[in-house]
């Protein structure tokens, strides 16, 4: 009996474990179906958004990025990193966090956290949502708070379950504006700094002249000379008249009064400006030939220096290669018996693997047979436990006794009814006999009277 009870307890525990596994599988299937439905809704919403964007214009698809950047600026003005994210150990948002899908679960939790914080900042107390709260309830509460601020909501709440998109950015942007209004912040016109434009002084370097510069200067000088043309004959006549009148002045002019030191200084100052350097044309083939010769000479000179180093390096490398080859041969000779042993061990290993594969095939077959036998044994155990439980159970015996007593009572009642019926039948028979006898007696009396008369 104890063994049967233990067996029954093991069967009940196995049945409980099986029920628990079935419940777990059922919950997993339900979660998978819910995720599939959510993905289907997300794809349908994405298709509708794309159709709506195509109807609104080509730039509507990029409006969510602009909205997200504006939202991020407003959140930074509200110091969301110190007040909201640091409390929950979250990372700061990127420029396109709610514009692109990355991790829907994390994005939805971040949306709920920021929405609750912004509603609280706007002066309406709002409980911080937890990770395992109902998302539909959270979304309905957020949208009701948004409507209380007087903001229109012309989209279905299922758009917010994905945790990203234009609707998510719109809700957070409206809540951020309300929080800024409540905190007393107001946008002002931007003050642009005045920059003083410095005039660039163009300094021409006259120390180096090109051929084009020289040609331009020559053309300008010719034009100046044509404009300021002076008749030489007139000058000659004037000079001759002045020479005749001012003869004593020529003697004074022939004697120079200029200081030699000042003259040399002036020459040194002007000399760099008078230097003419002609730039060569790089397209000339002679210059390329000269450059080739120069490069060839440089390569030959550097090759002479490096050839010795390269020869030394070559000799060292060849010596090390010879040493490596000799060491390799020595190691091969020394480890030849170990290599043979390794090869024999590999052959034995391959044979063992083949035997193992053959044995594993037999083991799998035997495991299948064992599983079938264990299943048959479990069935037999269940049948024996059921029979044992039925044998040890006293309820059927009690029912049988109750049925027997009921049958006895019914037989007694039947016997009474049978006796009553027999008695009634006997009375009816006796009554019929008495009636017949009376009728016969009545018939016999008139015949006797007729015979007497």
């Amino acid at each position: 009996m104890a063994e049967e009870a233990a067996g029954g307890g093991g069967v009940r525990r196995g049945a409980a474990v099986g029920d628990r596994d079935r419940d777990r599988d059922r919950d997993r299937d339900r979660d998978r179906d819910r995720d599939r439905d959510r993905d289907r809704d997300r794809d349908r919403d994405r298709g509708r958004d794309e159709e709506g964007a195509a109807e609104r214009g080509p730039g509507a698809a990029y409006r969510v990025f602009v909205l997200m950047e504006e939202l991020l600026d407003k959140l930074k003005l509200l110091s969301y990193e110190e007040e909201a994210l640091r409390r929950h150990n979250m990372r700061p948002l990127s420029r396109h966090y709610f514009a692109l899908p990355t991790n829907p679960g994390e994005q939805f939790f971040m949306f709920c956290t920021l929405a609750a914080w912004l509603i609280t900042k706007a002066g309406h107390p709002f409980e911080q949502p937890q990770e395992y709260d109902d998302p539909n309830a959270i979304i309905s509460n957020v949208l009701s708070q948004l409507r209380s601020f007087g903001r229109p909501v012309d989209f279905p709440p299922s758009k917010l379950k994905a945790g990203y998109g234009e609707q998510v950015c719109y809700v957070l942007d409206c809540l951020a504006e309300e929080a800024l209004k409540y905190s007393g912040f107001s946008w002002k016109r931007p003050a642009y700094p005045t920059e003083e434009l410095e005039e660039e002084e163009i300094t021409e370097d006259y120390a180096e002249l090109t051929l084009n510069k020289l040609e331009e200067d020559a053309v300008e000088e010719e034009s100046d000379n044509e404009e300021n043309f002076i008749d030489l004959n007139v000058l000659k006549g004037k000079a001759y008249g002045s020479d005749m009148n001012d003869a004593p002045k020529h003697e004074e002019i022939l004697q120079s009064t200029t200081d030699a030191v000042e003259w040399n200084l002036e020459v040194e100052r002007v000399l760099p400006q008078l230097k003419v350097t002609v730039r060569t044309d790089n397209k000339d083939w002679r210059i390329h030939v000269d450059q080739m010769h120069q490069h060839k000479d440089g390569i030959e000179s550097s090759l002479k220096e490096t050839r010795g180093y390269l020869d030394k390096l070559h000799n060292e490398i060849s010596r090390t290669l010879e040493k490596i080859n000799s060491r390799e041969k020595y190691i091969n000779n020394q480890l030849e018996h170990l290599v043979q042993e390794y090869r024999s061990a590999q052959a034995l290993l391959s044979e063992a693997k083949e035997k193992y594969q053959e044995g594993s095939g037999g083991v799998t077959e035997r495991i299948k047979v064992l599983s079938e036998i264990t299943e048959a044994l479990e069935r037999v155990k269940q049948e024996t436990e059921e029979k044992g439980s039925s044998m040890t159970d006293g309820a059927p015996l009690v029912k049988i006794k109750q049925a027997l007593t009921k049958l006895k009572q019914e037989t007694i009642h039947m016997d009474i009814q049978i006796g009553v019926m027999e008695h009634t039948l006997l009375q009816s028979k006796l009554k019929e006999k008495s009636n017949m006898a009376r009728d016969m007696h009545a018939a016999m009396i008139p015949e006797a009277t007729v015979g007497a008369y």
Side-chain angles (χ1 to χ4, degrees):
M1 295 295 290
E3 292 177 356
E4 292 177 356
V11 170
R12 284 192 293 274
R13 283 194 297 274
V17 171
D19 294 336
R20 202 159 45 246
D21 293 337
R22 282 193 296 274
D23 294 337
R24 192 182 299 112
D25 294 336
R26 195 180 302 109
D27 294 336
R28 193 182 299 114
D29 294 336
R30 193 183 301 112
D31 295 336
R32 192 182 298 110
D33 294 336
R34 192 184 300 114
D35 294 337
R36 193 182 301 112
D37 295 337
R38 191 184 299 116
D39 294 336
R40 193 183 303 110
D41 295 337
R42 191 183 301 119
D43 294 336
R44 186 169 57 253
D45 294 338
R46 189 182 296 114
R48 291 176 182 172
D49 293 339
E50 291 176 357
E51 292 176 359
E55 293 176 357
R56 285 180 290 175
Y62 303 99
R63 183 175 178 274
V64 63
F65 297 98
V66 179
L67 195 61
M68 179 61 204
E69 291 182 358
E70 294 178 356
L71 170 63
L72 190 60
D73 294 336
K74 294 173 185 177
L75 290 175
K76 287 180 180 179
L77 289 174
L78 292 169
S79 302
Y80 81 107
E81 295 181 358
E82 291 80 8
E83 297 183 11
L85 299 184
R86 190 171 296 174
R87 187 182 304 169
H88 299 281
N89 294 326
M90 293 181 177
R91 293 178 296 177
L93 303 180
S94 60
R95 290 178 58 194
H96 309 305
Y97 183 79
F98 289 115
L100 297 173
T102 55
N103 188 353
E106 181 183 353
Q107 286 176 320
F108 181 72
F109 183 68
M110 179 67 77
F111 163 71
C112 297
T113 303
L114 290 177
W117 176 70
L118 289 172
I119 292 168
T120 307
K121 289 283 286 185
H124 293 190
F126 194 84
E127 186 179 356
Q128 187 67 32
Q130 300 299 323
E131 187 174 359
Y132 298 102
D133 291 345
D134 187 12
N136 296 320
I138 298 172
I139 290 171
S140 63
N141 293 332
V142 171
L143 292 179
S144 63
Q145 292 291 335
L146 187 63
R147 292 189 186 94
S148 66
F149 288 120
R151 298 284 183 166
V153 179
D154 54 355
F155 55 87
S158 61
K159 296 251 183 207
L160 301 177
K161 283 186 181 181
Y164 69 92
E166 186 177 354
Q167 290 77 18
V168 173
C169 296
Y170 168 74
V171 171
L172 292 177
D173 185 68
C174 294
L175 294 176
E177 287 182 0
E178 295 297 332
L180 289 172
K181 287 180 184 178
Y182 186 78
S183 62
F185 179 81
S186 62
W187 297 97
K188 298 179 181 178
R189 290 183 175 273
Y192 298 103
T194 57
E195 297 181 357
E196 296 180 357
L197 299 175
E198 297 180 357
E199 296 182 356
E200 297 181 356
E201 297 180 356
I202 301 172
T203 59
E204 296 183 0
D205 190 6
Y206 296 100
E208 186 173 356
L209 300 177
T210 60
L211 290 174
N212 296 327
K213 188 74 174 177
L214 288 173
E215 292 176 357
E216 292 175 359
D217 293 341
V219 171
E220 290 177 357
E221 287 176 359
E222 289 178 358
S223 62
D224 293 337
N225 291 332
E226 289 176 356
E227 291 175 357
N228 300 324
F229 180 74
I230 300 172
D231 192 358
L232 294 177
N233 294 323
V234 177
L235 288 175
K236 190 182 291 183
K238 289 181 179 180
Y240 180 75
S242 63
D243 289 339
M244 292 296 291
N245 295 326
D246 300 330
K249 291 182 180 180
H250 288 290
E251 296 178 356
E252 294 178 359
I253 293 172
L254 291 175
Q255 293 178 359
S256 177
T257 59
T258 305
D259 190 2
V261 177
E262 292 179 359
W263 181 264
N264 290 329
L265 291 173
E266 185 68 19
V267 170
E268 290 179 358
R269 186 180 69 81
V270 179
L271 185 60
Q273 299 180 4
L274 298 176
K275 182 180 179 181
V276 177
T277 58
V278 180
R279 290 184 178 180
T280 58
D281 190 5
N282 292 326
K283 296 181 180 179
D284 192 3
W285 62 272
R286 296 181 183 84
I287 296 170
H288 290 294
V289 172
D290 293 336
Q291 289 178 356
M292 290 169 64
H293 287 297
Q294 290 176 3
H295 291 313
K296 181 182 178 183
D297 296 335
I299 290 169
E300 289 178 353
S301 62
S302 60
L303 182 62
K304 289 179 182 178
E305 295 178 359
T306 57
R307 187 183 293 276
Y309 297 109
L310 292 174
D311 292 336
K312 290 181 181 178
L313 185 62
H314 175 69
N315 294 329
E316 290 179 358
I317 291 171
S318 60
R319 284 197 297 270
T320 51
L321 286 174
E322 289 177 357
K323 288 181 180 179
I324 290 169
N325 290 328
S326 61
R327 293 288 178 86
E328 186 178 358
K329 290 179 181 178
Y330 176 74
I331 290 170
N332 289 331
N333 293 327
Q334 292 292 326
L335 300 178
E336 187 174 1
H337 63 284
L338 295 176
V339 172
Q340 294 293 334
E341 292 179 357
Y342 176 71
R343 289 175 181 172
S344 62
Q346 277 189 339
L348 294 174
L349 179 62
S350 62
E351 293 178 358
K353 284 183 178 179
E354 291 178 357
K355 292 180 180 179
Y356 172 74
Q357 290 177 355
E358 293 176 357
S360 62
V363 169
T364 53
E365 293 177 358
R366 288 176 176 79
I367 287 172
K368 290 181 181 178
V369 175
L370 179 61
S371 63
E372 294 175 357
I373 293 171
T374 51
E375 289 178 358
L377 182 61
E378 290 293 332
R379 289 196 297 270
V380 172
K381 283 184 178 180
Q382 290 179 359
E383 292 176 357
T384 52
E385 287 174 358
E386 291 175 356
K387 291 180 180 180
S389 60
S390 62
M391 290 172 65
T392 55
D393 193 5
L397 184 61
V398 172
K399 291 180 180 179
I400 291 168
K401 289 181 179 180
Q402 291 177 356
L404 289 174
T405 54
K406 192 174 181 180
L407 285 172
K408 287 180 180 179
Q409 290 176 359
E410 289 178 354
T411 52
I412 291 168
H413 288 297
M414 289 296 291
D415 291 336
I416 292 170
Q417 290 178 359
I418 288 167
V420 171
M421 291 296 292
E422 288 179 352
H423 181 68
T424 54
L425 287 172
L426 182 60
Q427 282 184 352
S428 62
K429 285 180 180 180
L430 291 174
K431 192 173 182 180
E432 288 179 358
K433 283 183 178 183
S434 62
N435 290 330
M436 289 175 67
R438 189 173 59 250
D439 294 336
M440 290 176 66
H441 182 70
M444 290 175 66
I445 291 171
E447 290 179 356
T449 57
V450 170
Y453 286 109

